[in-house]
Amino acid sequence: AGLIINSKEQEQGVYHITFNNAGTEQGGWTSKLKKLKFWGDDKPKGTNYQIALTGVGDKTELVLLDEGGAWVSSETAKPLLNIIQTHYNNF
């Protein structure tokens, strides 16, 4: 899904993630070969966010925050939240 969980604060329900939009793109065999390389920078590339989970009645609410803990605009958050819903709603 292009998401990497960097750390988590389970007591607070906060997950620190990196979202690599390139990880969600489809490509040919050359793009797959690039992912298999063993040289170069191994740091995850992408944008860092926080995902905060809170209980609302009998449901769980997921809120996307930037690195500093501020709410991310709905325009930016919607594609990422859709990816999370698509990939993780099956569990």
Side-chain angles (χ1 to χ4, degrees), residues 14-88:
V14 176
Y15 293 81
H16 301 269
I17 66 164
T18 300
F19 175 58
N20 181 1
N21 197 17
T24 62
E25 296 173 0
Q26 299 293 325
W29 68 272
T30 55
S31 64
K32 291 177 184 173
L33 184 62
K34 289 178 185 176
K35 291 178 186 178
L36 295 174
K37 73 174 190 158
F38 53 87
W39 63 90
D41 190 8
D42 287 338
K43 291 183 181 179
K45 293 177 177 68
T47 307
N48 294 322
Y49 294 103
Q50 296 178 38
I51 296 176
L53 304 172
T54 58
V56 179
D58 62 346
K59 298 184 180 187
T60 301
E61 181 179 80
L62 190 144
V63 178
L64 187 64
L65 309 169
D66 66 13
E67 281 186 283
W71 283 54
V72 175
S73 72
S74 61
E75 183 179 307
T76 302
K78 189 173 183 175
L80 180 55
L81 295 175
N82 284 337
I83 289 171
I84 292 170
Q85 181 181 15
T86 300
H87 284 82
Y88 299 104

